[in-house]
Amino acid sequence: MTRGNSTARAAGIVTVVVAALLGSAYALGRSLVPDQVPGLSTGATTRADGPHYADQPGGSEPSGTPSASTGPAETGQDGSAPGAGTDNLFGAHATSGSPRLALTFDDGPDPRYTPQVLALLREYDVHATFCVVGENAQNHPDLIQAIVNEGHTLCNHSWHHDVGLGARSADAIRADLLRTNAAIRAAVPNAPIVWYRQPGGAWTYPVVSVARQLGMTPLHWSVDPSDWELPGAGKITATVLTQAEPGSVVLLHDAGGNRQGTVDALRRILPDLTARFELEALPTDPT
Ligand SMILES: [Zn+2]
């Protein structure tokens, strides 16, 4: 074997090793990409019974089941990817910043479920935070008013539940967030809107920056029962009660699909949580 052949063979081995390493890195990278961030499409549709945010790729919705009367099985939007860490939060808050526990309700308001959630919170004298979608705020100003009048706080959740918003230009992000705030303020002119939650938790540096520029603090979560996957009230209840701790921000949904399981879980969750923790609406003066 000549020296030249040996060198070529060594180079070939190096190439194979590098390719293998790149393959591993690619697989690792893929595993870190949240499943619910498919790209720029929001996947949202508006149906007679309200908007549905179907931005889970290859979602769990069985074919042929959509029903305008009951709503389809939902392919949801704000869940945490398995193994997702905090490195991709770009500084978004994942806890309440105090010993108090914060319940958050996303994607509404929805006339089927938001009033049920409000009634349960009232029954247990609990205040929470509602991350509302701009188009839903525009369509249901009465529910936005009810949320504020009952002492809950507001969070901007983009105009059309745009999971890919963070990849758009800063100007496009700003326009989306301002349009959403305008729809909220049309219902409640003086209510503070100091929190922003990115749909899908798909944070990027631009979306965090623009939210901050507009006076809103980026808000993530620390407890996620994946209620949008419709696991049933029992599983939602068990996850929340098992994982709740002082400072938790709990992610729940009062809209975006069939949320009766979440409402039923809330009925079981509230007696336990209120016995163990002080619950709060996230403050309107976040530090
Ligand atoms: Zn959402």
Side-chain angles (χ1 to χ4, degrees):
M1 184 179 289
T2 66
R3 180 179 176 80
N5 282 344
S6 175
T7 302
R9 184 175 171 193
I13 291 170
V14 168
T15 301
V16 168
V17 170
V18 167
L21 287 172
L22 286 172
S24 299
Y26 175 75
L28 178 63
R30 289 291 302 164
S31 73
L32 295 175
V33 174
D35 291 341
Q36 68 279 16
V37 187
L40 295 180
S41 169
T42 65
T45 57
T46 301
R47 304 180 194 178
D49 59 338
H52 294 256
Y53 306 113
D55 43 19
Q56 185 80 9
S60 57
E61 181 173 340
S63 60
T65 58
S67 158
S69 60
T70 62
E74 185 59 27
T75 51
Q77 50 280 339
D78 293 322
S80 300
T86 56
D87 291 347
N88 54 357
L89 298 186
F90 297 89
H93 288 214
T95 62
S96 72
S98 79
R100 294 180 288 276
L101 181 146
L103 295 178
T104 62
F105 295 93
D106 282 21
D107 298 0
D110 184 308
R112 294 167 295 178
Y113 307 110
T114 305
Q116 296 186 68
V117 169
L118 290 172
L120 282 167
L121 294 175
R122 196 183 313 127
E123 183 179 338
Y124 286 90
D125 196 22
V126 164
H127 290 146
T129 300
F130 287 77
C131 296
V132 301
V133 172
E135 61 180 354
N136 294 343
Q138 184 179 61
N139 290 334
H140 305 290
D142 54 322
L143 293 176
I144 297 290
Q145 289 162 358
I147 288 168
V148 171
N149 289 342
E150 299 199 25
H152 308 294
T153 57
L154 293 169
C155 168
N156 180 322
H157 198 39
S158 87
W159 176 258
H160 193 53
H161 205 274
D162 189 351
V163 172
L165 186 62
R168 300 184 190 279
S169 70
D171 284 348
I173 296 169
R174 187 176 296 107
D176 186 294
L177 271 51
L178 286 173
R179 185 183 185 195
T180 302
N181 280 354
I184 297 170
R185 292 221 164 90
V188 285
N190 299 315
I193 311 166
V194 302
W195 298 97
Y196 173 73
R197 177 173 280 163
Q198 168 58 32
W203 298 103
T204 63
Y205 177 75
V207 82
V208 163
S209 309
V210 170
R212 288 193 186 281
Q213 287 164 14
L214 297 177
M216 295 184 283
T217 300
L219 174 66
H220 199 70
W221 56 81
S222 61
V223 175
D224 175 16
S226 298
D227 61 333
W228 54 269
E229 291 185 303
L230 309 183
K235 279 195 173 177
I236 296 170
T237 302
T239 301
V240 172
L241 295 186
T242 302
Q243 297 184 9
E245 57 185 21
S248 288
V249 173
V250 179
L251 172 64
L252 295 167
H253 293 83
D254 64 330
N258 185 341
R259 299 292 174 248
Q260 197 57 48
T262 300
V263 172
D264 294 343
L266 190 62
R267 190 174 288 112
R268 304 185 202 177
I269 288 167
L270 284 171
D272 186 295
L273 286 188
T274 52
R276 292 162 59 199
F277 303 100
E278 188 178 344
L279 273 61
E280 69 165 6
L282 287 164
T284 53
D285 57 345
T287 53

